[in-house]
Amino acid sequence: MKKLMNDSKNIVEEMVEGYVKAHPKHIKQVPENGRALVTAKETREEKVGILVGGGSGHEPGFMGYVGAGMADGVAVGNIFASPSPDPILEVTKNIDKGAGVVYLYGNYAGDVMNFGMAAEMADLEEDIEVGMALATDDVASAPKAEKEKRRGIAGEFFIFKAAGAAADFGYDLNDVVRVANKANENTRSMGVGLTPCSLPQTGEPSFELGEDEMEIGLGHHGEPGLEKGPLESADSVTDRLVNDILADIEINKGDKVAVLVNGLGSTPRMELYVMFRRVEQILSEMGIEIYRSYVGDYITSLEMGGASVTLMKLDDELEQAIDHPVDCPMFVQK
Amino acid sequence: MKKLMNDSKNIVEEMVEGYVKAHPKHIKQVPENGRALVTAKETREEKVGILVGGGSGHEPGFMGYVGAGMADGVAVGNIFASPSPDPILEVTKNIDKGAGVVYLYGNYAGDVMNFGMAAEMADLEEDIEVGMALATDDVASAPKAEKEKRRGIAGEFFIFKAAGAAADFGYDLNDVVRVANKANENTRSMGVGLTPCSLPQTGEPSFELGEDEMEIGLGHHGEPGLEKGPLESADSVTDRLVNDILADIEINKGDKVAVLVNGLGSTPRMELYVMFRRVEQILSEMGIEIYRSYVGDYITSLEMGGASVTLMKLDDELEQAIDHPVDCPMFVQK
């Protein structure tokens, strides 16, 4: 597949260089490690630091979410691969303001290992307290009884948003972790894949699907989903996604939710809004209130075609968190 | 090509429905015409109204740019087709606060005709004064001596931004038109196409290119560009685009510019930031200051692959306009 790139070996470094050059008032590299990016703005002493991270190729996730109201720093991995412990540790040292640092990342084996190692090093070598919260929002990736085995996908956005707000509110480390975990417990996502992306290094498609096929529950790195079949109408696909979510988490009449209809990279906004329209119809018929809506590319997989629906059930605390303003290079909320 | 849609005949109506439902605090439909959308917020009396519009399929352009600091309303056309005069007139009536309305749109025959007719109707039937400013930023679309024949592409974003700010500053109709025209005079774009999009109605690709080909100067609706050839490196492509811009407009050492690296729909942010990196290198070597940067999907062509570079040369007035905060559903600037 065609890419606007130079040597594929340098694409992540060149992206990071462009990113830092484009947003110098927002973000800077830690001198010790080019894959360690932190906010360029002054952070309050005693604020709990928020560190996000994961593989590249999911932009705006994860580097796009560093800024006021969300994360203080990001560790940047290779494409679809966890960052190593070094940049995680460098970000940790840089953003610790005496109140510790919370790591937020998706539940993938490489991330679990590397963020875990970095947390140990932060504790032993730097005496920095680290808390962790994993995103496990992807309903398709494991049965309900084994939620702790599920992967994190677009719902990561809500978890970052909630924890970032909690840290800004002045919550301590345990309370920020509690809010992040509550956000994750209350969040469910279901996705559909239509067309693959390709890695710059290989040019090979990340999965195969027929000309008129879709795959329900396909993962963000092309992990197999629940079911392949002929592409259905937007309403029918949206019904499947929302029904699977509602079968997995109790959301009742009178409850409030935040909704994210997320594009995977090459799905036009037009199609995402057609899907949102159907989500709104379903929830409105059930008497569930949509408190806030996000429609667009929030966590992508390069140029993959497809979309996901995410619902986060809100209580007063999460409602306040979701309302909190944000000022990041790739996401601003007033 | 695969689309998440229902009946293709209804896709624009369903998108608009989803859009209004997703952002009820920001946007509403004018009761008389479903293709006429206006800001849901109270607008100051005597503020000049800003109306944008054009075909659908360019989201966030144009409906995404209605909100505080940018447009007061949008007339929504069919996919890649001008809106008819009716929704333009309905928006005009709705957003006129006694100081007249300025129409901002790209220089395409259909738009010129329909916006012109609506302006006449607004004058004759409603006694509303209308000003107009056309975007002609696409360097590839006509020779320098015939700038008035050029098409509008991603630079429309800067023109909307500048004129929206001017109206917010309390400028009168003539001054808003003057600022919009100055923004257009100071703005140049050059694009490259890699892969086509397809219209929902036909499923046919909007143009044809070989497996390893690119097309420099390709238009936003697949209009032929200047040159087809083998895909080059990101740096080489960016050099071509920036050089063509700098050959067309005098920007010298010490000048300030706003930069937009715009994705056409399916180009990952990773590639756009790699391109931005090169734009920054070129300008920095020339001693041209990048005052503000925008990197992402600002004016798209459904799922087209490719990107464009836009430079707007700034003076004090445009600098102030580009800094002005914006709160739209698809674009927020603090």
Side-chain angles (χ1 to χ4, degrees):
Chain A
M1 289 180 189
K2 296 176 189 175
K3 307 267 182 200
L4 286 161
M5 66 177 179
N6 301 305
D7 188 333
S8 64
K9 283 198 304 290
N10 304 327
I11 193 167
V12 173
E13 262 60 44
E14 290 181 355
M15 165 180 66
V16 168
E17 189 186 335
Y19 184 58
V20 172
K21 286 271 169 60
H23 311 289
K25 288 177 189 163
H26 282 87
I27 200 139
K28 61 183 184 190
Q29 282 173 299
V30 174
E32 290 76 10
N33 193 311
R35 296 291 188 92
L37 308 182
V38 297
T39 177
K41 301 202 171 153
E42 213 41 62
T43 310
R44 213 176 57 244
E45 285 302 315
E46 294 300 319
K47 188 185 97 68
V48 170
I50 300 288
L51 191 162
V52 298
S56 293
H58 300 297
E59 294 71 30
F62 303 97
M63 65 172 71
Y65 296 128
V66 175
M70 275 181 97
D72 301 291
V74 61
V76 180
N78 286 327
I79 295 177
F80 294 172
S82 171
S84 62
D86 287 351
I88 305 171
L89 185 63
E90 290 303 332
V91 172
T92 306
K93 285 155 62 178
N94 199 284
I95 68 175
D96 176 50
K97 296 287 170 180
V101 174
V102 174
Y103 294 175
L104 304 173
Y105 53 96
N107 185 29
Y108 296 92
D111 290 304
V112 170
M113 185 178 74
N114 288 319
F115 280 91
M117 280 172 63
E120 248 176 69
M121 287 153 73
D123 176 28
L124 296 175
E125 297 170 20
E126 311 291 337
D127 202 24
I128 299 171
E129 195 183 358
V130 170
M132 291 202 264
L134 277 73
T136 59
D137 57 302
D138 183 5
V139 171
S141 56
K144 189 174 176 177
E146 300 171 77
K147 186 171 190 317
E148 76 286 353
K149 291 193 182 164
R150 285 179 176 170
R151 297 184 292 254
I153 54 171
E156 291 170 0
F157 169 75
F158 282 147
I159 293 151
F160 301 169
K161 177 91 190 63
D168 242 20
F169 295 155
Y171 287 19
D172 69 15
L173 187 104
N174 288 336
D175 258 349
V176 172
V177 171
R178 176 185 60 74
V179 169
N181 282 327
K182 180 165 74 175
N184 183 52
E185 278 307 312
N186 285 17
T187 297
R188 296 291 187 284
S189 302
M190 268 296 289
V192 61
L194 267 60
T195 52
C197 60
S198 69
L199 295 180
Q201 289 85 344
T202 64
E204 295 299 315
S206 54
F207 58 87
E208 287 190 14
L209 271 179
E211 267 301 302
D212 294 306
E213 270 190 326
M214 66 176 184
E215 185 163 347
I216 296 282
L218 188 89
H220 266 197
H221 313 92
E223 297 95 337
L226 297 175
E227 185 190 341
K228 282 187 194 186
L231 180 59
E232 298 172 7
S233 72
D235 282 2
S236 164
V237 170
T238 308
D239 287 351
R240 281 169 173 265
L241 304 183
V242 175
N243 288 341
D244 281 354
I245 289 171
L246 293 175
D248 202 80
I249 181 172
E250 203 175 323
I251 306 181
N252 298 312
K253 189 174 173 174
D255 285 340
K256 293 181 187 175
V257 294
V259 176
L260 166 61
V261 177
N262 178 58
L264 294 181
S266 64
T267 304
R269 296 246 187 158
M270 180 176 288
E271 298 174 34
L272 301 179
Y273 277 106
V274 169
M275 290 180 70
F276 178 86
R277 167 189 154 276
R278 185 63 182 167
V279 174
E280 195 278 338
Q281 286 175 352
I282 301 169
L283 297 181
S284 157
E285 271 168 34
M286 294 178 65
I288 295 165
E289 182 189 334
I290 297 180
Y291 183 75
R292 219 178 239 278
S293 312
Y294 300 87
V295 181
D297 287 2
Y298 285 82
I299 305 268
T300 64
S301 299
L302 296 169
E303 72 278 15
M304 197 185 288
S308 59
V309 174
T310 301
L311 302 184
M312 177 163 73
K313 185 176 168 178
L314 301 174
D315 61 10
D316 289 349
E317 189 173 52
L318 291 176
E319 203 176 299
Q320 204 190 351
I322 211 77
D323 278 342
H324 190 62
V326 169
D327 187 17
C328 297
M330 299 197 204
F331 173 64
V332 185
Q333 179 177 307
K334 277 211 176 177
Chain B
M1 288 180 192
K2 296 176 189 174
K3 306 267 184 202
L4 286 161
M5 66 178 179
N6 300 304
D7 188 334
S8 65
K9 282 199 305 292
N10 304 328
I11 192 166
V12 173
E13 263 58 44
E14 291 182 353
M15 166 181 64
V16 168
E17 189 187 335
Y19 184 58
V20 172
K21 286 273 169 61
H23 310 289
K25 288 176 188 163
H26 282 86
I27 200 139
K28 61 183 184 190
Q29 281 173 299
V30 174
E32 290 77 9
N33 193 312
R35 295 291 188 93
L37 309 183
V38 297
T39 175
K41 302 204 170 152
E42 215 39 64
T43 310
R44 212 176 58 245
E45 285 302 315
E46 297 298 319
K47 189 186 97 69
V48 170
I50 300 288
L51 191 161
V52 298
S56 294
H58 300 297
E59 294 72 29
F62 303 96
M63 64 171 73
Y65 296 128
V66 174
M70 276 182 96
D72 301 291
V74 60
V76 180
N78 286 328
I79 294 177
F80 294 172
S82 171
S84 63
D86 287 351
I88 304 171
L89 185 63
E90 291 302 334
V91 172
T92 307
K93 286 156 63 177
N94 199 284
I95 67 174
D96 176 49
K97 296 285 169 181
V101 174
V102 175
Y103 294 176
L104 305 173
Y105 53 96
N107 185 29
Y108 296 91
D111 290 303
V112 170
M113 185 178 74
N114 288 319
F115 280 90
M117 282 172 62
E120 250 178 68
M121 288 153 73
D123 177 26
L124 296 173
E125 296 170 20
E126 310 291 337
D127 202 23
I128 299 172
E129 193 182 358
V130 170
M132 291 201 266
L134 276 73
T136 60
D137 56 300
D138 183 6
V139 171
S141 56
K144 189 174 176 178
E146 300 172 77
K147 185 171 190 316
E148 77 286 353
K149 291 192 182 166
R150 286 180 176 170
R151 298 184 291 255
I153 53 170
E156 291 170 0
F157 170 74
F158 282 147
I159 294 151
F160 300 169
K161 177 94 190 62
D168 241 21
F169 295 155
Y171 288 19
D172 69 14
L173 188 104
N174 289 336
D175 259 350
V176 172
V177 171
R178 177 184 60 74
V179 170
N181 282 328
K182 180 164 74 175
N184 183 52
E185 278 307 313
N186 285 17
T187 297
R188 297 291 187 284
S189 303
M190 269 297 289
V192 61
L194 267 60
T195 52
C197 60
S198 70
L199 295 180
Q201 288 85 345
T202 63
E204 295 300 315
S206 53
F207 58 86
E208 287 191 12
L209 271 180
E211 268 299 302
D212 294 306
E213 270 189 327
M214 64 174 185
E215 184 163 349
I216 297 281
L218 187 91
H220 266 198
H221 313 93
E223 297 95 339
L226 297 176
E227 184 190 342
K228 282 187 195 187
L231 179 60
E232 298 171 6
S233 71
D235 282 0
S236 164
V237 170
T238 308
D239 287 351
R240 280 168 173 266
L241 303 183
V242 175
N243 289 341
D244 282 354
I245 289 170
L246 293 175
D248 202 81
I249 181 172
E250 204 176 320
I251 306 181
N252 298 313
K253 189 175 173 174
D255 284 340
K256 293 181 189 177
V257 294
V259 176
L260 166 60
V261 177
N262 179 58
L264 294 180
S266 64
T267 304
R269 296 247 186 156
M270 180 177 289
E271 298 174 34
L272 301 179
Y273 276 106
V274 168
M275 290 179 71
F276 178 86
R277 166 188 155 277
R278 185 64 181 168
V279 174
E280 195 278 337
Q281 285 175 353
I282 301 168
L283 298 181
S284 156
E285 270 168 34
M286 294 178 66
I288 296 165
E289 182 189 336
I290 298 180
Y291 183 74
R292 219 178 239 278
S293 312
Y294 300 87
V295 181
D297 287 4
Y298 284 81
I299 305 268
T300 64
S301 299
L302 294 170
E303 71 279 14
M304 199 184 287
S308 59
V309 174
T310 301
L311 302 185
M312 177 163 74
K313 185 176 166 177
L314 301 175
D315 61 9
D316 289 348
E317 189 172 52
L318 291 176
E319 202 176 297
Q320 204 189 353
I322 211 76
D323 278 343
H324 190 63
V326 169
D327 187 18
C328 297
M330 298 197 204
F331 173 64
V332 184
Q333 179 177 308
K334 279 213 174 175

